[in-house]
Amino acid sequence: MKTREGRWKQMVAIGVALALLAAFFWWQNNGLTVSRYEFTSTKVPRELDGYTIVQLSDLHNHRFGDGQRRLLKLVEELEPDLVLMTGDLVDRNRTDLIPALELAKGTSELAPTYYITGNHEWSIADRERTELLEGMTEAGVVVLEDGCAVLPVGESCLVLAGLSDESLRDGTVDWLMEDVPDGLSILLAHEPQFISDYARAGVDLVFSGHAHGGQIRLPFVGGLYAPGQGFLPKLTKGLYEVEDTTLVVSRGLGNSTFPFRFLNRPEVVVLTLRTED
């Protein structure tokens, strides 16, 4: 039989183990990480060499400190020239607009910020979606739904196009890209699995999210599941190339139906444009 002292030590050991496990899972779901990439192309003019783009995706109502303080501090430290928000800032299962609007207000004070909707924005009530989009605009964010914007940079320009999540399957990307000015074209499109459509339309650079990094990542396996791709998805994080199109997939910041991440911490993407000599 165990002595009282032995049982006490066992309880302490179990308590310590549970505390460490809880801390680990908290860190997995709240410990922000930065992924840095470069995009090098002859289409990048010298005036845009070194231009820094920060991508934020799939917040799903998550808060990183009061008023998104931790996340905004990190974005500020990255010194972005441009911030892109690629959808699912809210969550249809527990809709709360305030975390998204706090983030929007903060980033718009740091750099020009552009936003498109994800599938969750189109799964909430029409009234809530209208309130969100109006709030984003009031916060200083450009809502780029099935539209284009030209950003002058010195004597050059950057062409941004944005797809509503409702327009991913209907060929909108083709006519959207038909009349864009010459130069580097960047598309915001929430779901990465339509990469062949983006490539067919001739987009140079695409920013997507949606896959949540596969939610649970295992060594030598990668992500286990992504919406729209199923089990063992191919497009979960980082850079992919199809024909002349480069796709950037963010692992995202928050969680939705499945509430935990594993070996897949919340991610802020930083991409730097480089001129190819």
Side-chain angles (χ1 to χ4, degrees):
M1 292 181 61
K2 291 183 179 179
T3 64
R4 180 177 298 180
E5 181 180 359
R7 288 196 298 271
W8 173 249
K9 287 182 178 179
Q10 184 181 53
M11 290 174 62
V12 169
I14 292 173
V16 170
L18 290 175
L20 290 174
L21 187 63
F24 172 77
F25 275 105
W26 186 92
W27 182 242
Q28 287 293 295
N29 291 274
N30 294 277
L32 290 163
T33 184
V34 175
S35 297
R36 299 178 182 271
Y37 306 105
E38 289 191 351
F39 175 78
T40 302
S41 171
T42 55
K43 289 192 173 183
V44 177
R46 296 211 170 272
E47 287 176 298
L48 285 174
D49 188 67
Y51 192 89
T52 300
I53 300 172
V54 164
Q55 180 194 12
L56 304 173
S57 195
D58 297 271
L59 183 69
H60 287 283
N61 300 348
H62 199 84
R63 269 201 174 94
F64 294 90
D66 293 338
Q68 303 290 10
R69 176 179 50 82
R70 286 197 297 120
L71 178 53
L72 289 170
K73 182 176 184 295
L74 176 58
V75 173
E76 182 178 18
E77 291 171 352
L78 295 172
E79 299 182 341
D81 296 297
L82 180 67
V83 175
L84 303 180
M85 295 181 169
T86 49
D88 281 7
L89 296 191
V90 298
D91 192 276
R92 65 185 172 216
N93 299 311
R94 53 189 193 286
T95 306
D96 181 0
L97 305 184
I98 294 176
L101 297 178
E102 289 174 337
L103 181 60
K105 184 177 185 300
T107 60
S108 66
E109 293 173 355
L110 298 174
T113 302
Y114 289 77
Y115 161 75
I116 56 161
T117 55
N119 57 299
H120 276 251
E121 280 92 342
W122 284 96
S123 297
I124 62 178
D126 291 345
R127 173 188 55 78
E128 291 175 319
R129 183 170 57 256
T130 298
E131 185 180 347
L132 172 67
L133 298 182
E134 290 177 351
M136 297 291 283
T137 301
E138 290 173 5
V141 172
V142 178
V143 178
L144 200 59
E145 293 275 89
D146 297 337
C148 294
V150 179
L151 281 65
V153 181
E155 296 182 0
S156 302
C157 69
L158 191 63
V159 179
L160 290 180
L163 277 177
S164 160
D165 197 76
E166 288 286 278
S167 303
L168 295 179
R169 304 164 182 83
D170 62 6
T172 297
V173 66
D174 294 304
W175 65 256
L176 192 61
M177 301 306 299
E178 280 180 357
D179 299 322
V180 299
D182 291 335
L184 178 67
S185 60
I186 296 177
L187 175 70
L188 285 67
H190 179 65
E191 302 186 31
Q193 66 268 24
F194 299 104
I195 175 59
S196 60
D197 295 335
Y198 310 149
R200 184 192 64 242
V203 182
D204 297 314
L205 184 59
V206 184
F207 286 87
S208 293
H210 190 58
H212 290 212
Q215 195 74 43
I216 294 173
R217 300 191 65 84
L218 299 178
F220 311 111
V221 175
L224 291 189
Y225 181 85
Q229 299 183 65
F231 289 98
L232 301 180
K234 295 181 179 179
L235 307 172
T236 59
K237 73 180 188 76
L239 303 185
Y240 302 88
E241 293 186 3
V242 174
E243 299 177 10
D244 296 324
T245 297
T246 297
L247 171 70
V248 184
V249 182
S250 167
R251 298 199 315 270
L253 293 161
N255 304 319
S256 183
T257 304
F258 190 78
F260 299 111
R261 289 170 171 256
F262 183 74
L263 301 182
N264 181 30
R265 285 162 50 198
E267 176 187 55
V268 174
V269 170
V270 183
L271 183 135
T272 303
L273 301 180
R274 295 296 182 193
T275 301
E276 185 174 59
D277 294 327

